[in-house]
Amino acid sequence: MYQDWNTLEQACLQCRKCGLCETRTNVVFGVGNENAKVLFIGEGPGENEDLQGEPFVGRGGQLLDKMLAAVDLSREKNIYIANIVKCRPPHNRDPFPEEQEACLNWLRNQVALMKPKIIVCLGRIAAMKLMNPQIKITKEHGVFIERNGVLMMATLHPAALLRNPNNKPAAFEDFLALRKKIDELQLDVAKDYRAVPDSDT
């Protein structure tokens, strides 16, 4: 296990543990506050993320940022965002199980250094890998479970919300539930938000 973020990141950027290293433009290590109490975990980088080296920077990322801002969370100040795999699977396919396994120790090390109180799984792949292989995310999103002293919740992936905008209000309820849980736990996470109408999310 690496003992500090910089050493961990530098090692991760050199990773060649699976075939995804052959086709990547950039390793997408993660972004945000390394001391945050809330960690968001997605599936893997897409095309924009691969080009820019940062998670959730395409249209799905813009939607995620809007929903975060509505409950006074942001990657700039009080959360961290990472992925199950750090390199883009070709054509944005789901990462294979062996690719997830090869990459997972990087994420485990990030979690160990960060010690988050809440982990939010963005989408089916992350929820299945980290919470429950049988999870039905359309039915079980927004529900908190506890694992090793950490609260975990799954929510719908922003890209899925772009494909099915009717699910946006339900997903936003998950973010309101997250904000409520943050406040219940009295975590040191800023609060200055207003209720946002559905049309804005």
Side-chain angles (χ1 to χ4, degrees):
M1 295 291 276
Y2 294 88
Q3 302 303 313
D4 67 86
W5 280 91
N6 188 54
T7 308
L8 174 65
E9 182 170 3
Q10 292 310 309
C12 184
L13 295 181
Q14 308 301 318
C15 181
R16 302 191 67 81
K17 291 181 182 177
C18 80
L20 294 181
C21 69
E22 303 294 340
T23 53
R24 73 188 179 210
T25 305
N26 286 295
V27 175
V28 181
F29 180 72
V31 67
N33 183 340
E34 294 163 0
N35 298 307
K37 301 292 191 293
V38 183
L39 170 62
F40 283 75
I41 300 173
E43 163 188 330
E47 182 179 14
N48 290 298
E49 291 75 20
D50 177 57
L51 292 173
Q52 297 184 42
E54 182 173 323
F56 290 93
V57 291
R59 286 180 60 229
Q62 293 166 15
L63 175 60
L64 175 63
D65 285 342
K66 284 181 69 174
M67 296 175 79
L68 289 168
V71 293
D72 200 40
L73 299 174
S74 85
R75 65 179 78 198
E76 283 80 26
K77 57 182 180 180
N78 55 15
I79 65 161
Y80 194 87
I81 307 175
N83 279 311
I84 296 288
V85 297
K86 309 298 190 193
C87 300
R88 181 196 179 193
H91 311 296
N92 292 359
R93 63 161 170 76
D94 290 349
F96 295 145
E98 59 269 26
E99 293 164 349
Q100 296 181 43
E101 279 304 313
C103 207
L104 204 56
N105 271 341
W106 299 119
L107 180 62
R108 287 194 181 109
N109 212 142
Q110 287 175 304
V111 172
L113 288 173
M114 190 175 153
K115 299 181 177 64
K117 300 295 186 186
I118 299 174
I119 291 176
V120 180
C121 294
L122 292 163
R124 172 180 56 89
I125 298 289
M128 288 173 67
K129 188 66 182 172
L130 300 176
M131 294 177 66
N132 175 5
Q134 309 302 323
I135 194 167
K136 300 286 186 281
I137 195 161
T138 52
K139 294 193 175 91
E140 298 173 59
H141 66 89
V143 178
F144 284 95
I145 65 168
E146 187 171 335
R147 284 272 166 81
N148 303 318
V150 179
L151 287 172
M152 303 185 74
M153 179 188 82
T155 190
L156 301 167
H157 195 285
L161 298 177
L162 291 175
R163 291 192 296 271
N164 297 292
N166 290 344
N167 289 332
K168 285 183 185 179
F172 188 58
E173 288 295 322
D174 298 343
F175 282 74
L176 293 174
L178 171 63
R179 181 75 246 187
K180 184 178 178 184
K181 188 64 68 175
I182 289 169
D183 295 341
E184 276 177 19
L185 297 176
Q186 298 182 316
L187 300 183
D188 184 21
V189 177
K191 181 178 179 182
D192 176 26
Y193 73 94
R194 295 161 298 287
V196 182
D198 289 341
S199 59
D200 287 353
T201 59

